[in-house]
């Protein structure tokens, strides 16, 4: 019966997952209990999408960094090192209970001077703004949870703030970034295990290739690229009202209010207008792919990191309108260019039929079949296809599976790792899947497995859990990345 339903579903739906632009109707997840889904389509329609996962549910707990990757490392040594890191993490401390979230703190609107490259003023006129996007209604009041870690929080669990090791790391970053020509390879090695908050904006700009290593050229490049972006706005943005761009613009307009809907920052009209301009300009300049649902998620880490450069407090409730106009424009332009650099490496994920994602999902299936045959066979037994859950993992880079604070920490490593977003992400997904092997093996039907895999309980995660995930992915990469014969049975 399950096989028949599965065949009927794929016959009815020739398009690949993720290619649908219209919103599928949703029903309350509680209705699942009263009626068993008879097909994957019915199941998908009867469950809530992961848009509603609260990125700011719990306090951030930070763990020690995984090892950096020295050059010419013997693979056996690498595997042993990563295994030891995982073992050490598991013994750090017992976690009997997660503490309650702090009381809501109102943003005071304070602005601090940039810690990185000097911000260059831009004229505030010449940009056309349309009416504000509609905000999500009836948002619950929630306590403020940091999206990103403060410097003093980036220690191993239980270590005193600003321990000697952390001060040494801070000084290392300070020296690297202050040098006339930044050693990018050394900066990558330091960044693999996490970037301190105050140095993250300038480091992300450098590692993404947006800024040059030579300090004297940075201000010139920043001014030129920011002017170029707002030139695109003047040239292309009015075309959003033209008929041949209506589908693209309409989909962007629908998706933006759903981007992190439980974080007040992203429900502010000026922020939504920034996202709309960034996404529309990117889509116009990349006609091979255009806008695809999921790309909107990829703007948020850059926007938050570059905003944090000017905001002293946590940014969740920060009112962006208190920032000077030229600062808002610079944050927007930098977010656009860094997102564009990221997408340049994974654009085949978003071209017609999304072949990049199809290939990565197939590679994940082969990898999991080698590292955990029990999990793989369990999926086969209950006719769960990897595409049904892992498509979103590749399309959104796990952003709907992890709190935003964890995504930012994960992207520190992705920026530092060669082909981090395109290649290393595969091993992160494999490690992430095996992390839930106990829960997966306990689920004994198709519906239970899909519901688990689409709503994994990561809301409490912080840097400690991300550190474990990275260490395991590091181990898997050295075992399988350069050993294709390991895939063979």
């Amino acid at each position: 019966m399950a096989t028949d339903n599965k065949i009927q579903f794929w016959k009815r739906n020739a398009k690949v997952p993720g290619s649908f632009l219209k919103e599928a109707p949703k029903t309350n997840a509680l209705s699942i209990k009263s009626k068993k889904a008879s097909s994957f389509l019915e199941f998908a329609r009867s469950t809530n999408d992961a848009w509603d996962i609260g990125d700011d549910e719990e306090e951030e707990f930070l763990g020690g960094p995984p090892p950096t990757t020295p050059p010419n490392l013997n693979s056996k040594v690498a595997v042993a090192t990563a295994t030891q890191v995982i073992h050490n993490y598991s013994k750090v401390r017992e976690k009997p209970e997660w503490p309650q979230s702090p009381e809501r703190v109102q943003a005071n609107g304070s602005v601090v001077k940039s810690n990185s490259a000097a911000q260059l003023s831009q004229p505030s006129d010449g940009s056309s703004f349309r009416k504000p996007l509609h905000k999500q209604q009836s948002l619950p009041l929630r306590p403020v949870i940091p999206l990103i870690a403060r410097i003093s929080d980036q220690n191993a669990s239980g270590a005193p703030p600003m321990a000697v090791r952390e001060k040494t790391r801070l000084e290392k970053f300070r020296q690297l970034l202050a040098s006339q020509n930044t050693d990018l390879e050394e900066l990558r090695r330091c960044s693999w295990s996490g970037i301190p908050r105050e140095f993250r904006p300038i480091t992300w700009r450098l590692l993404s290739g947006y800024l040059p290593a030579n300090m004297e050229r940075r201000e010139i490049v920043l001014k030129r690229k920011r002017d170029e972006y707002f030139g695109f706005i003047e040239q292309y943005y009015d075309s959003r009202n033209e008929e041949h761009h209506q589908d693209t613009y309409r989909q962007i307009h629908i998706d933006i209010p759903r981007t992190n809907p439980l974080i007040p920052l992203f429900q502010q009209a000026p922020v939504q207008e920034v996202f709309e301009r960034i996404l529309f300009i990117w889509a116009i300049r990349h006609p091979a792919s255009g806008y695809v649902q999921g790309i909107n998620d990829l703007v948020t880490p850059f926007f938050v990191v570059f905003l944090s450069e000017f905001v002293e407090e946590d940014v969740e409730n920060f009112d962006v309108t208190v920032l000077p106009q030229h600062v808002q424009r610079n944050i927007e332009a930098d977010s656009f260019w860094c997102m564009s650099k990221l997408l340049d490496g994974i654009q085949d994920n978003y071209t017609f039929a999304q072949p990049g994602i199809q290939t990565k999902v197939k590679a994940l299936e082969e990898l999991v079949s080698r590292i955990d045959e029990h999990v793989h066979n369990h999926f086969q037994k209950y006719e769960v296809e990897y595409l049904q859950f892992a498509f979103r993992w590749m399309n959104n880079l796990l952003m709907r599976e992890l709190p935003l604070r964890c995504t930012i920490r994960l992207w520190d490593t992705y920026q530092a790792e060669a082909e981090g977003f395109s290649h290393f992400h595969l091993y992160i997904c494999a490690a992430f899947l095996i992390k839930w092997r106990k829960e997966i093996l306990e689920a004994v039907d198709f519906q239970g497995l899909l519901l688990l895999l689409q709503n994994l309980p990561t809301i409490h995660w912080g840097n400690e859990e991300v550190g474990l995930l990275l260490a395991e992915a590091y181990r898997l990469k050295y075992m399988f990345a350069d050993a294709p014969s390991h895939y063979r049975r």
Side-chain angles (χ1 to χ4, degrees):
M1 181 62 184
T3 303
D4 294 339
N5 288 331
K6 181 176 163 189
I7 294 173
Q8 290 171 7
F9 166 70
W10 291 114
K11 284 183 178 179
R12 292 196 302 267
N13 297 274
K15 296 182 180 179
V16 298
S19 62
F20 300 102
L21 289 180
K22 296 183 179 180
E23 293 184 288
K26 297 180 182 179
T27 53
N28 194 309
L30 296 176
S31 64
I32 300 173
K33 296 180 180 179
S34 59
K35 181 180 178 181
K36 183 176 178 67
S38 59
S39 70
F40 176 66
L41 180 61
E42 293 178 13
F43 171 79
R45 286 178 173 172
S46 66
T47 57
N48 288 330
D49 188 46
W51 288 109
D52 299 328
I53 294 179
D55 291 331
D56 56 348
E57 286 291 330
E58 294 292 339
E59 284 285 4
E60 182 172 6
F61 280 80
L62 306 170
T68 56
T69 311
N72 302 322
L73 181 64
N74 180 276
S75 61
K76 293 183 178 179
V77 175
V79 173
T81 302
T83 305
Q84 184 61 40
V85 169
I86 298 170
H87 177 69
N88 291 342
Y89 264 114
S90 66
K91 296 172 62 178
V92 167
R93 63 184 173 90
E94 295 181 359
K95 294 184 284 186
E97 194 83 21
W98 287 89
Q100 295 298 316
S101 300
E103 295 298 321
R104 172 176 291 277
V105 179
Q106 296 297 325
N108 58 19
S110 60
V111 181
V112 295
K113 188 175 180 181
S114 167
N115 289 318
S116 63
Q119 301 301 317
L120 304 175
S121 298
Q122 300 283 337
S124 59
D125 56 348
S127 296
S128 60
F129 294 92
R130 60 172 194 80
K131 293 187 295 184
L133 295 171
H134 295 294
K135 296 183 179 181
Q136 294 279 346
Q137 299 297 318
S138 304
L139 288 175
L141 292 176
R142 289 174 178 266
V144 176
I145 303 299
L147 290 174
I148 53 180
R150 294 193 181 280
I151 299 169
S152 60
D153 293 330
Q154 293 188 336
N155 306 305
S157 301
M162 294 299 291
V164 173
R165 179 186 179 190
E166 183 61 21
K167 289 181 179 179
T168 302
R169 292 190 71 245
L170 286 172
E171 186 58 32
K172 180 67 172 177
F173 272 94
R174 188 174 288 109
Q175 291 175 0
L176 282 169
L177 297 173
S179 62
Q180 193 65 25
N181 288 283
T182 301
D183 184 341
L184 294 181
E185 287 306 310
E186 183 63 24
L187 185 62
R188 286 190 178 94
R189 281 192 285 270
C190 292
S191 300
W192 203 99
S193 52
I195 304 170
R197 181 183 193 267
E198 67 181 88
F199 298 121
R200 186 175 275 131
I202 182 66
T203 301
W204 276 26
R205 290 187 185 102
L206 286 166
L207 295 184
S208 67
Y210 174 46
L211 275 188
N214 183 272
M215 182 177 290
E216 292 181 355
R217 294 183 53 224
R218 289 177 193 168
E219 289 189 12
I220 298 173
V221 171
L222 278 176
K223 186 178 189 312
R224 176 172 58 82
K225 297 299 285 185
R226 289 165 178 172
D227 288 345
E228 186 178 355
Y229 169 71
F230 283 100
F232 294 153
I233 295 291
E234 294 177 5
Q235 182 178 357
Y236 299 118
Y237 193 55
D238 286 342
S239 69
R240 68 192 187 280
N241 299 315
E242 298 175 5
E243 184 177 355
H244 59 290
H245 290 152
Q246 279 296 296
D247 288 344
T248 296
Y249 178 70
R250 186 182 303 111
Q251 190 59 52
I252 291 172
H253 189 69
I254 290 171
D255 288 348
I256 288 174
R258 304 192 308 179
T259 304
N260 292 296
L262 298 181
I263 299 177
L265 171 70
F266 298 110
Q267 297 307 304
Q268 298 177 37
V271 174
Q272 294 185 344
E273 289 166 355
V274 165
F275 277 51
E276 181 182 281
R277 289 193 293 272
I278 288 174
L279 294 169
F280 184 77
I281 296 303
W282 190 89
I284 292 300
R285 297 190 69 246
H286 295 81
S289 61
Y291 174 74
V292 177
Q293 285 178 299
I295 294 179
N296 57 304
D297 289 335
L298 306 184
V299 184
T300 56
F302 293 114
F303 184 82
V304 168
V305 168
F306 297 144
L307 176 61
S308 70
E309 189 172 16
F310 303 97
V311 180
E312 191 171 39
E313 72 275 7
D314 296 316
V315 301
E316 289 89 336
N317 286 345
F318 182 77
D319 181 3
V320 297
T321 61
V322 306
L323 291 171
Q325 187 69 23
H326 75 275
V327 171
Q328 296 182 46
R329 289 164 63 86
N330 291 344
I331 292 171
E332 177 178 346
D334 292 355
S335 297
F336 169 81
W337 285 115
C338 288
M339 184 199 75
S340 297
K341 292 287 187 181
L342 185 162
L343 288 170
D344 284 347
I346 57 172
Q347 191 171 353
D348 62 343
N349 284 9
Y350 305 104
T351 54
F352 178 73
Q354 299 178 266
I357 292 180
Q358 304 278 350
T359 300
K360 291 181 178 70
V361 171
K362 182 63 177 176
L364 177 65
E365 180 176 358
E366 293 176 351
L367 182 58
V368 172
S369 71
R370 302 307 300 142
I371 63 179
D372 198 321
E373 193 172 3
H374 292 295
V375 168
H376 180 71
N377 291 341
H378 196 68
F379 287 154
Q380 290 187 322
K381 178 179 179 181
Y382 293 105
E383 301 181 319
V384 173
E385 302 288 345
Y386 284 76
L387 200 65
Q388 292 166 351
F389 63 89
F391 183 93
R392 189 171 74 184
W393 296 10
M394 303 300 178
N395 190 59
N396 303 87
L397 299 178
L398 286 175
M399 285 195 63
R400 297 194 201 170
E401 276 50 61
L402 299 173
L404 184 53
R405 59 185 179 270
C406 295
T407 295
I408 290 172
R409 167 61 191 92
L410 190 64
W411 283 22
D412 286 347
T413 300
Y414 281 5
Q415 300 267 17
E417 183 79 21
E419 299 182 318
F421 292 99
S422 59
H423 183 64
F424 189 60
H425 181 67
L426 169 66
Y427 299 95
I428 288 289
C429 288
F432 186 66
L433 180 63
I434 301 306
K435 164 73 175 67
W436 309 102
R437 76 180 308 275
K438 179 177 180 292
E439 292 82 354
I440 289 170
L441 295 176
E442 287 175 352
V444 291
D445 59 24
F446 172 85
Q447 176 178 311
L449 279 166
L450 263 293
L451 188 59
L452 168 68
L453 291 166
Q454 293 182 352
N455 298 276
L456 291 164
T458 61
I459 200 63
H460 299 236
W461 275 33
N463 279 23
E464 183 175 330
E465 289 78 8
V466 174
L468 283 167
L469 188 66
L470 286 166
E472 178 62 15
Y474 178 82
R475 186 180 70 86
L476 292 175
K477 179 189 173 186
Y478 269 86
M479 289 179 65
F480 293 95
D482 300 316
S485 61
H486 286 195
Y487 285 127
R488 301 179 190 140
R489 296 185 180 279

